[in-house]
Amino acid sequence: MLLILSSDSNAQKINYTEYDLDNGLHVILHQNKTAPVVAVSVMYHVGSKDESAERTGMAHFFEHLLFEGSDNMKRGDFMKIVGSSGGQNNANTTQDRTFYYEVFPSNQLELGLWLESERMLHPQIDNTGIKIQNEVIKEEKRLRIDNKMYGRAVEKVFEKLFIGHPYRWQPIGSMAHLDSARLSDFLGFFKRFYVPNNAVLSIAGDLDIEKTRLLVAKYFKEIPAGLNKPQPSFTLEPIKKQMTDTVYDANIQIPMVFAAYRAPGANTRESQVLSMVSSVLCGGASARLKTKVVDEKKTALQVVALNYSLEDCGAYFTYASPNNNTPLNVLLSDIDTEIVRLQTELISESELKKLHNQIENIIVSSNTKMIGVAENLANGYTLHNKNTNYLNENLPTMKSITREELRDVARKYLNPNQRVVLYYLPKKSS
């Protein structure tokens, strides 16, 4: 399949070419010659939701492990090669997908393709690399979760919000599970998920489309396809009453209260509506909640509302920390009052216009760098029913959302009997 979009009608439209190799690898190419850089990326449709409950953390582990070298690259050389060629690289893992990328001067495009093909075709997966990365990940967990202020909040909320779904554990997983995993477990996980027919190669920047197609074929067409991965399906029971939990954390001095609601999946219009609801409440200095509890009542040091969208279903969060010893339940009540206001009154036309401007700024800003374009194109194909053009359709869709939809979706999803409330409190020394 070959699809080429033209760009004459909309200056913000991102043009791209996309096609499949015979082994199932989906390729997306975006040409932009405004700067001599190119972003080479591979997104694998594997995240923590693809793990078994007895082997959590595998996808995130592979985010690290696949930098260990290959049949043609010594251990530790991946980053040296990138750095010595003037490039940058990184990777990240979510519940739904894993994303690897390099950004190079455009004359190093072929090097980027070789690196990603080595990672896909024959990476070094052995006990030495597993032991090295196991220690790296344990240190990451200590820094990002165990010793980070409020670091366990999402983990505790998701445990209750997604009972029966793999979203209930976090991508970093269980250290005990990783310690007990054998080499055969890692090899099996790689063979199942890190195959061309479960991946998107997305390249953006200063490139020649036809020459790049030839290079892609040179490095990727011989990589054998894997077995088709069955998409897991899970049934979540509806939440019918508020669930409450408390966490005590020695890393904090100021408490915080969280309220989280189960939200619809990312590939729904309602998820986009909830993102706009967040902007009404906390998007910018003049947003409703910030104005009320931070500026006017001065009962909160900070307040946040956000829609954390995921492929199957998401989490809508609000959280706040108190000022002047304000009780957490007072903060929660103030947040609830503003949500009820959204559920019963239409926002003003001027608020809607401000929302549209904010959304446009966010979306346009996300495409100012070539790695952002590459990731957004891959996200559309991977997480939005193979709709690569989601990148271009998102803004018009968001601008078509009405005030009535904001009210109705808030009524549908943001109710006290549908949420998890978490009190996050300082742990007193013994």
Side-chain angles (χ1 to χ4, degrees):
M1 178 179 70
L2 174 65
L3 173 65
I4 301 178
L5 299 180
S6 62
S7 64
D8 50 1
S9 61
N10 188 335
Q12 300 298 336
K13 180 176 279 187
I14 302 296
N15 303 326
Y16 59 89
T17 298
E18 62 179 341
Y19 59 97
D20 289 334
L21 298 185
D22 289 343
N23 58 15
L25 177 67
H26 191 71
V27 182
I28 306 172
L29 307 178
H30 165 70
Q31 183 187 65
N32 185 324
K33 292 183 173 292
T34 56
V37 297
V38 65
V40 178
S41 71
V42 176
M43 181 174 287
Y44 293 91
H45 198 177
V46 57
S48 58
K49 80 173 181 189
D50 298 290
E51 301 158 350
S52 77
E54 291 76 35
R55 284 287 181 270
T56 64
M58 293 292 281
H60 175 255
F61 199 99
F62 268 90
E63 175 196 317
H64 291 256
L65 190 61
L66 295 187
F67 283 98
E68 279 290 306
S70 71
D71 288 359
N72 298 314
M73 193 187 328
K74 291 191 298 184
R75 191 184 312 280
D77 274 3
F78 194 108
M79 294 185 185
K80 290 180 183 176
I81 293 171
V82 174
S84 65
S85 303
Q88 304 173 33
N89 67 280
N90 212 330
N92 55 70
T93 309
T94 73
Q95 286 85 350
D96 299 316
R97 94 292 181 277
T98 307
F99 185 63
Y100 301 88
Y101 69 85
E102 297 80 41
V103 179
F104 278 116
S106 53
N107 61 358
Q108 298 296 328
L109 168 62
E110 186 167 0
L111 174 62
L113 293 171
W114 176 74
L115 288 167
E116 289 301 334
S117 68
E118 286 290 302
R119 196 195 316 261
M120 186 182 292
L121 178 59
H122 41 213
Q124 196 164 20
I125 300 174
D126 56 25
N127 284 321
T128 300
I130 290 169
K131 184 178 180 180
I132 292 171
Q133 294 305 328
N134 201 358
E135 293 304 313
V136 171
I137 288 169
K138 286 178 179 175
E139 179 62 17
E140 179 182 340
K141 184 173 183 292
R142 284 190 285 269
L143 288 172
R144 291 177 51 195
I145 297 177
D146 298 342
N147 297 318
K148 183 180 179 182
M149 294 190 295
Y150 315 103
R152 296 176 57 206
V154 174
E155 170 190 336
K156 299 301 292 185
V157 166
F158 275 34
E159 283 177 359
K160 292 188 177 300
L161 200 63
F162 298 121
I163 294 172
H165 192 290
Y167 287 164
R168 68 184 183 275
W169 62 78
Q170 294 302 295
I172 202 161
S174 161
M175 298 303 102
H177 291 174
L178 295 175
D179 284 342
S180 62
R182 296 167 298 180
L183 177 59
S184 58
D185 295 320
F186 290 98
L187 292 171
F189 197 82
F190 176 81
K191 184 178 180 182
R192 183 178 180 192
F193 292 110
Y194 298 83
V195 292
N197 45 317
N198 195 44
V200 174
L201 172 64
S202 182
I203 310 168
D206 180 18
L207 56 85
D208 179 278
I209 295 293
E210 292 308 314
K211 290 180 180 178
T212 304
R213 287 172 63 93
L214 294 175
L215 289 173
V216 169
K218 175 181 177 181
Y219 288 103
F220 288 91
K221 76 173 185 179
E222 301 299 334
I223 299 176
L227 297 175
N228 288 324
K229 185 192 75 168
Q231 288 295 322
S233 178
F234 304 96
T235 301
L236 283 166
E237 296 295 327
I239 298 172
K240 297 180 179 178
K241 64 178 181 180
Q242 177 173 300
M243 294 179 279
T244 304
D245 201 355
T246 302
V247 171
Y248 295 93
D249 188 341
N251 299 312
I252 65 169
Q253 296 183 338
I254 299 173
M256 190 172 283
V257 61
F258 295 79
Y261 309 77
R262 192 185 295 160
N267 196 27
T268 65
R269 185 177 174 91
E270 288 180 328
S271 179
Q272 293 170 298
V273 176
L274 282 172
S275 295
M276 289 184 66
V277 168
S278 300
S279 295
V280 176
L281 294 174
C282 290
S286 61
R288 289 183 175 188
L289 261 176
K290 286 187 176 179
T291 299
K292 179 176 181 178
V293 300
V294 177
D295 298 336
E296 294 177 358
K297 297 182 69 174
K298 301 187 187 307
T299 51
L301 293 171
Q302 65 167 328
V303 61
V304 174
L306 65 90
N307 182 40
Y308 186 79
S309 63
L310 292 166
E311 188 173 18
D312 292 353
C313 51
Y316 188 91
F317 279 95
T318 65
Y319 57 91
S321 54
N323 188 27
N324 295 325
N325 296 317
T326 301
L328 294 181
N329 280 336
V330 171
L331 283 183
L332 186 60
S333 177
D334 284 343
I335 294 171
D336 286 345
T337 299
E338 285 302 322
I339 289 176
V340 169
R341 184 181 165 201
L342 264 175
Q343 293 170 328
T344 54
E345 302 174 11
L346 295 178
I347 68 170
S348 67
E349 292 285 359
S350 62
E351 283 181 297
L352 185 64
K353 184 176 182 180
K354 185 177 77 171
L355 284 178
H356 288 164
N357 292 338
Q358 288 176 336
I359 295 296
E360 183 166 7
N361 182 51
I362 292 170
I363 292 175
V364 171
S365 297
S366 73
N367 293 322
T368 54
K369 294 183 178 179
M370 289 304 99
I371 187 56
V373 173
E375 182 172 11
N376 290 333
L377 288 167
N379 269 330
Y381 185 85
T382 305
L383 303 177
H384 294 274
N385 295 331
K386 300 185 177 181
N387 180 16
T388 307
N389 203 42
Y390 179 84
L391 175 76
N392 291 314
E393 296 172 357
N394 191 23
L395 180 57
T397 300
M398 298 289 275
K399 283 191 168 183
S400 72
I401 290 171
T402 66
R403 298 185 298 156
E404 288 78 10
E405 284 181 284
L406 293 171
R407 178 197 62 197
D408 295 344
V409 171
R411 283 177 177 173
K412 184 176 180 180
Y413 290 101
L414 305 183
N415 298 300
N417 64 342
Q418 297 170 300
R419 70 185 181 185
V420 176
V421 172
L422 179 69
Y423 295 94
Y424 209 99
L425 307 177
K427 184 178 183 180
K428 296 178 181 177
S429 58
S430 57

